[in-house]
Amino acid sequence: MTTLRVALLHLRIGVMNDLQYRVNFALQVLQSALALATGLIVIALVYSHVAELNGWSQSELLAVLGTQILMGGVIRMLIQPNMMRLTEDVREGKLDHALTKPVDAQMLVSVREVQVWQAVDIVLGATVITVALVRLGGDLGVFDALAFAVALAFGAVMLYCFWLLLATGSFWIVSMWFLPELFEGVFQTGRWPVGIYPGWLRFGITFLVPIAFAVTVPAEAVTSRLEWQTLLLAAGFAAALFAFTRWFWRFGLRNYTGASA
Amino acid sequence: MSATPATSSLPQENRLRSLVDFYVTTMRTAVQQQFQYRAATYMYLVGMVAEPVIYLVVWSTIADQSGGTVGGLSAGEFAAYYIVWTLVRTMNIVFTPYGWESRIREGELSGQLLRPLHPIHYDLAWFAGGKIPWVLFYLPIAVVLTLVFNPTFDVRPLEVVVFGVAVWGAYLIRTFNQTALGLICFWTTRVGALFQLYIALELLLSGRLVPLTLFPEWVQTVAWFLPFRWTFYFPIQTLVGDLTNAELLGGLAMQVFWTVVGIGVFSLVWRHAIKRYTAVGN
């Protein structure tokens, strides 16, 4: 209970801190709009040459794009800032301070930062998904909507675990400035349904970097093509990954010798 | 010129020699720095390779679906395009406007202004030096991509020579364009918005996203008159496309033109910008 209260308090402080900088909102809107425009142009270009891509129609692919934008917003708002702060704190010797607090350290390093304006992408992604659904006929069942929300939550948990695994690596490899670029690059694979990639790559972005679970699976739910076994697999994998991440984090902490006096 | 100006402390030839010395030393430092953090550098490159691999997979799928080719390109030609793309992208890494933002905001520029050389020399030299390790790191990536995606290449010796020149032309054009953008930081410390717009235009009109032939005719015409095309599409096409000798040389001429324009714009902006600079830090 205390843990939850501390987490919420940290989030509130983060939100208030970020809300001071209002110009950033306008900049974020512009940046998101440009990214969306580029994505839409590429989709238009693809479908000017083919009628469907690997069984996905243009509107269905729009749902994939929307899901990818939404999930990207979640990551950059809540997950990535915390993980980058963790790697910087390790490098600069500030993590010791966080470790002395009488709450769970993993929780604490996961809630200290929030970049509110990234929520623009969450709203934009949801809008794109809505447009896609309207174009698809708009008969989304309650079950599909529920499956979408659940799949999205599992996906967010898996990407959080993935980020924490990487950031824990900073206990051994100190220079981690490349993480956002690396993740952003790989995360772009989510713009396309995972089925179009060759087998080795499909495996990689399903189980090594869980992008397929985070983007394709929710998009499948919202376009009524999800099988319940997939959702079950996502649940199992999310639980296993979370347990592993927790173990790895503790293992890393045991190896951490501290850098400050 | 028969006599050196009295104000200059060094004879002309010594100045040239010290400039060369400066470039060599800065490049060497850049090489060593990149090797020192090789894991980090490699990860950065891997993140960069994701972009062409995605495009490559998508367009190969489309080519296969529509009976072998799309827009006149086969899956093998797409593979060749994006493998060379990756090399050109590596060669096109330059100092970004974000770098200027922090350089000015944190007062780092004050120290650089005290030196007898213009700061642009440092950027040009440092990123030129960085190319050596980056291209070395690129080679294994290229081998893997070649084995996985079976590109089709048909290259003449002259094309290789022109490619070798064109990647440096692209580097110069991109450096001066982005530096000119970066100088806007003298007026506002938030250059991000403009830079994003620049990158979006570049993505679409340079051949970075897709080979330009996949676009409608009018887009290709617009692209021809802008600098972006000459920093990606042209260098890539020298190796991958079937350009005539006239087209190869014409392309290099366009690169010279855009480099001169870039230097002109940069010098003009610099002259106005530097007057506005009030030092921060020491």
Side-chain angles (χ1 to χ4, degrees), chain A residues 28 48 54 79 83 107 118 140 155 157 173 177 204 226 243 249:
Chain A
Q28 186 57 48
S48 73
N54 220 25
I79 300 175
M83 296 302 127
M107 184 281 293
Q118 294 291 340
L140 182 71
V157 169
I173 308 166
W177 57 269
L226 184 69
W249 161 256

Side-chain angles (χ1 to χ4, degrees), chain B residues 169-180:
Chain B
Y171 171 62
L172 288 179
I173 297 173
R174 232 170 158 251
T175 301
F176 285 111
N177 284 349
Q178 296 211 13
T179 306

Side-chain angles (χ1 to χ4, degrees), chain B residues 54-281:
Chain B
I54 297 165
Y55 303 147
L56 172 52
V57 168
V58 170
W59 288 103
S60 306
T61 311
I62 296 169
D64 287 342
Q65 268 187 17
S66 32
T69 63
V70 57
L73 293 168
S74 67
E77 283 164 326
F78 275 112
Y81 187 89
Y82 284 112
I83 290 170
V84 177
W85 181 106
T86 312
L87 179 56
V88 173
R89 176 73 188 89
T90 310
M91 290 298 296
N92 264 340
I93 300 174
V94 300
F95 193 65
T96 67
Y98 295 125
W100 276 98
E101 194 179 299
S102 74
R103 194 179 261 182
I104 291 175
R105 205 174 20 146
E106 292 174 16
E108 206 184 301
L109 185 66
S110 306
Q112 287 174 328
L113 286 177
L114 288 176
R115 295 180 186 170
L117 269 181
H118 195 294
I120 186 84
H121 287 297
Y122 177 77
D123 297 337
L124 273 172
W126 200 91
F127 281 87
K131 305 284 179 265
I132 298 164
W134 292 331
V135 169
L136 278 180
F137 290 150
Y138 159 80
L139 291 177
I141 296 175
V143 170
V144 172
L145 290 179
T146 305
L147 291 176
V148 175
F149 292 108
N150 297 315
T152 42
F153 275 110
D154 176 23
V155 183
R156 291 181 292 141
L158 179 68
E159 291 178 336
V160 178
V161 175
V162 173
F163 177 77
V165 179
V167 284
W168 289 104
Y171 171 62
L172 288 179
I173 297 173
R174 232 170 158 251
T175 301
F176 285 111
N177 284 349
Q178 296 211 13
T179 306
L181 263 182
L183 294 185
I184 293 173
C185 295
F186 282 94
W187 285 272
T188 163
T189 43
R190 295 217 160 265
V191 77
L194 264 172
F195 186 48
Q196 297 286 344
L197 192 64
Y198 172 88
I199 289 295
L201 283 176
E202 180 183 86
L203 270 175
L204 293 171
L205 296 172
S206 70
R208 227 179 118 164
L209 215 50
V210 291
L212 288 174
T213 44
L214 292 175
F215 277 107
E217 201 72 45
W218 66 270
V219 178
Q220 296 184 42
T221 314
V222 171
W224 203 93
F225 288 100
L226 292 170
F228 310 109
R229 179 191 199 280
W230 307 102
T231 60
F232 277 93
Y233 193 63
F234 170 65
I236 297 172
Q237 282 301 95
T238 58
L239 279 193
V240 176
D242 231 349
L243 301 185
T244 62
N245 289 355
E247 284 171 323
L248 289 175
L249 294 179
L252 289 183
M254 285 305 283
Q255 284 198 325
V256 172
F257 170 76
W258 281 111
T259 308
V260 172
V261 170
I263 294 176
V265 172
F266 158 74
S267 315
L268 191 75
V269 181
W270 176 261
R271 215 168 302 145
H272 289 283
I274 202 66
K275 285 186 201 144
R276 294 185 46 92
Y277 183 63
T278 43
V280 180

Side-chain angles (χ1 to χ4, degrees), chain A residues 42 49 52 54 178 182 185 189, chain B residues 40 43 50 54 65 70 190 193 209:
Chain A
V42 173
H49 294 281
E52 62 172 33
N54 220 25
F178 55 85
L182 177 64
T189 51
Chain B
M43 287 295 120
I54 297 165
Q65 268 187 17
V70 57
R190 295 217 160 265
L209 215 50

Side-chain angles (χ1 to χ4, degrees), chain A:
Chain A
M1 207 53 227
T2 322
T3 310
L4 194 66
R5 261 210 346 260
V6 170
L8 285 177
L9 188 65
H10 265 100
L11 285 179
R12 225 183 69 211
I13 295 170
V15 169
M16 278 159 58
N17 196 29
D18 230 23
L19 283 175
Q20 296 176 83
Y21 303 95
R22 297 206 189 131
V23 182
N24 286 5
F25 172 68
L27 292 177
Q28 186 57 48
V29 169
L30 179 84
Q31 188 176 338
S32 301
L34 281 172
L36 174 64
T38 317
L40 291 177
I41 289 173
V42 173
I43 290 185
L45 209 53
V46 166
Y47 285 94
S48 73
H49 294 281
V50 283
E52 62 172 33
L53 183 66
N54 220 25
W56 291 71
S57 71
Q58 184 163 10
S59 300
E60 287 171 333
L61 207 64
L62 208 57
V64 177
L65 178 68
T67 313
Q68 197 257 1
I69 293 176
L70 193 158
M71 191 56 95
V74 172
I75 293 165
R76 282 188 301 268
M77 179 175 165
L78 296 166
I79 300 175
Q80 183 173 322
N82 281 302
M83 296 302 127
M84 286 317 287
R85 166 134 179 228
L86 169 61
T87 65
E88 279 153 30
D89 279 2
V90 171
R91 193 162 48 89
E92 293 172 7
K94 291 182 191 159
L95 186 68
D96 309 21
H97 182 62
L99 294 179
T100 54
K101 300 268 169 78
V103 283
D104 184 75
Q106 185 189 338
M107 184 281 293
L108 190 64
V109 300
S110 308
V111 298
R112 293 183 297 170
E113 296 274 329
V114 53
Q115 291 193 352
V116 173
W117 301 128
Q118 294 291 340
V120 169
D121 269 340
I122 300 179
V123 175
L124 202 64
T127 312
V128 173
I129 297 172
T130 312
V131 170
L133 287 179
V134 169
R135 286 178 46 165
L136 282 168
D139 51 345
L140 182 71
V142 178
F143 183 75
D144 286 336
L146 212 62
F148 172 72
V150 171
L152 217 54
F154 286 147
V157 169
M158 284 186 250
L159 287 177
Y160 160 75
C161 291
F162 176 74
W163 259 102
L164 186 58
L165 286 175
L166 286 182
T168 306
S170 63
F171 289 132
W172 294 276
I173 308 166
V174 177
S175 173
M176 288 291 223
W177 57 269
F178 55 85
L179 279 185
E181 273 90 355
L182 177 64
F183 183 80
E184 195 54 46
V186 178
F187 189 61
Q188 292 300 320
T189 51
R191 290 253 155 131
W192 307 91
V194 67
I196 76 163
Y197 295 107
W200 57 274
L201 192 58
R202 204 180 315 158
F203 178 83
I205 59 176
T206 305
F207 295 107
L208 299 183
V209 190
I211 292 169
F213 280 123
V215 180
T216 309
V217 172
E220 280 180 349
V222 87
T223 53
S224 314
R225 36 168 84 213
L226 184 69
E227 287 159 13
W228 64 269
Q229 291 98 327
T230 314
L231 202 57
L232 213 60
L233 182 67
F237 190 64
L241 193 62
F242 190 82
F244 175 73
T245 308
R246 180 108 184 121
W247 172 83
F248 189 68
W249 161 256
R250 292 212 168 133
F251 176 69
L253 266 190
R254 273 202 302 277
N255 275 277
Y256 175 63
T257 46
S260 68

